[in-house]
Amino acid sequence: MFSLHGYGPSIFEGTILTLEVSLVSLLIALVLGMAGALSKLSRSPVLKGLATAYTTVIRGIPDLVLMLLVFFGGQVFVNQVGPLVGYDEYIDINPFIAGVITIGFIFGAYMTETFRGAILAVNKGQLEAGYAYGMSSFKVFRRILFPQMVRHALPGFGNNWLVLVKTTALVSIIGLDDMVRKASMAAGATRMPFTFYVVVAINFLLITTVSIYLLQYLENRYSLGVRRS
Amino acid sequence: MDFSIITGNIDVYLEGLKNTLILVSLSLIAGLAMAIPLAVLRVIGNPFIQWPIRAFVYFFRGTPLLVQMFLVYYGFGQFDAMKDSFLWPLFKEAYFCALLTFSLNTCAYTVEILRGSIVATPHGEVEAATAAGMSRLLMLRRIILPSAFRRALPAYSNEIIFMLHGSALASVITIVDITGAARIINSRFYSPYEAFITAALFYMAITFTIVFFIRLLEKKWHAHLQPADQSVITIEAPHENITG
């Protein structure tokens, strides 16, 4: 049962693509999350409202629906806008871009909550001291807020990352050759769906298990010098 | 955008809504019913009982729901023994496969949620029950479980929302749920905005209805903990701690 009939390398390529999708989405999610958290904590009611609407809407919609909306809707949108700017050929939306944007956008909302909590957990006096020294807000962020919020953000960040990795399986539905789709193709050709999906499941377990150990290491590192009861 | 496509085909969405609601509620009920005894055994059972439960939870929480669903729906057909057995008429049905996968998946997450809240039972409560001469079973029924359910409610409400969102995957194996309805409308009229935005609105309406009712339940169950400000439920990513 556990002969892969020469499809091993193909599944491996898919695994690499899954990791690429995960990491690029994570990058987008981190940027959006940071922007969202700072907006939620800012004094401007407009920014606050926008960030709240963002997180509320994302939490109400399944990721698959959002991904299909971005993929199919984006296709129509690009081809409506294309002729307006003088581009007349039919444009195909790249499933990698659609997938990465959707996943990044969804997890940006979860990261917003994680980062908001982490920023609030930093002692306010620390920031005040920074301003008292005449630091600019950016400098306060870079030198004081950020290094201290990492410790509080890591547990939530870790959870989001693990969920994100599993969510990338959805990109197989919009036609990206990640490991789930590679497995489906191999399963179709060899008539051994169980074998190939089990291999994919084991790959996911490996990725999540390794992630958990790395995250634990980072958590220990960033908590150095914190007294524990 | 032309939403007359939607109003003209609203029956497709209503059929989808029905299927989504049935799938989600049946899975949640089955998952919770299995999770309660499993969570108790996971805490008090001997290692030979604990180990398989841990493996079950580890597998279902560490792999994507989509892969689990493919394993059940496509995977079991690989074995001739399965095809010849009396179970095959069931496993041939997409509906049954989705229901089975969702139930097992939510069961695994719920076991972990309940385990956490059972372990967190204040020691005094158990001591008081022992001092009152309760048997282990009585203690479980009257003291430990009710108190654990109360603590588990916020995390479990997230799990409900996640099951609702996860149920959209049923559309991948041909089931016409809300997402399936949207995919039908999209391919029939090539109108992705209308089709998927309508589906999104349906899901949002269900999500916020669920959140509203859980808030009512929380008010009732947590009345003794009510602080000056009414805490707000937030929907977060499910808690992951697979090694735990």
Side-chain angles (χ1 to χ4, degrees), chain A residues 140-181:
Chain A
V140 169
F141 174 78
R142 188 167 61 87
R143 287 211 185 145
I144 297 174
L145 180 60
F146 187 75
Q148 293 191 71
M149 69 174 271
V150 171
R151 181 169 72 85
H152 299 288
L154 266 175
F157 166 85
N159 284 335
N160 291 343
W161 162 251
L162 295 175
V163 182
L164 185 152
V165 171
K166 287 183 279 164
T167 305
T168 61
L170 295 187
V171 296
S172 64
I173 297 170
I174 56 171
L176 194 61
D177 282 339
D178 76 327
M179 62 174 159
V180 179
R181 206 169 118 89

Side-chain angles (χ1 to χ4, degrees), chain B residues 61-81:
Chain B
R61 293 178 73 219
T63 55
L65 182 56
L66 183 69
V67 174
Q68 294 161 15
M69 203 172 64
F70 282 171
L71 259 179
V72 173
Y73 185 54
Y74 299 117
F76 283 142
Q78 183 175 332
F79 306 110
D80 288 333

Side-chain angles (χ1 to χ4, degrees), chain A residues 5-6 12-13 17 30-31 41 45 66 78 90 95 105 118 144 147 150 169 177 193 209 214:
Chain A
H5 292 270
F12 182 72
E13 274 170 33
L17 191 78
L30 286 178
V31 173
L41 295 172
L66 205 62
V78 166
Y90 190 78
F105 197 63
I144 297 174
V150 171
D177 282 339
T209 309
L214 282 179

Side-chain angles (χ1 to χ4, degrees), chain B residues 130-149:
Chain B
T130 318
M134 287 191 187
S135 70
R136 238 171 138 183
L137 206 64
L138 193 64
M139 196 197 310
L140 204 62
R141 185 162 62 84
R142 286 217 188 135
I143 311 290
I144 297 180
L145 282 181
S147 132
F149 285 151

Side-chain angles (χ1 to χ4, degrees), chain B residues 192-232:
Chain B
Y193 298 132
E194 294 87 341
F196 292 116
I197 288 175
T198 309
L201 291 176
F202 268 94
Y203 281 111
M204 278 168 81
I206 304 175
T207 306
F208 294 129
T209 314
I210 294 173
V211 170
F212 173 78
F213 279 110
I214 289 175
R215 230 177 257 180
L216 282 188
L217 193 63
E218 268 209 335
K219 251 187 207 157
K220 203 175 143 192
W221 278 15
H222 294 174
H224 61 299
L225 300 173
Q226 219 53 252
D229 73 318
Q230 307 271 308
S231 60
V232 178

Side-chain angles (χ1 to χ4, degrees), chain A residues 59 77 166 194-195 209, chain B residues 58 61 78 109 165 193 235:
Chain A
R59 282 162 171 191
F77 179 76
K166 287 183 279 164
F194 194 84
T195 312
T209 309
Chain B
Y58 174 70
R61 293 178 73 219
Q78 183 175 332
Y109 281 98
H165 289 183
Y193 298 132
I235 307 159

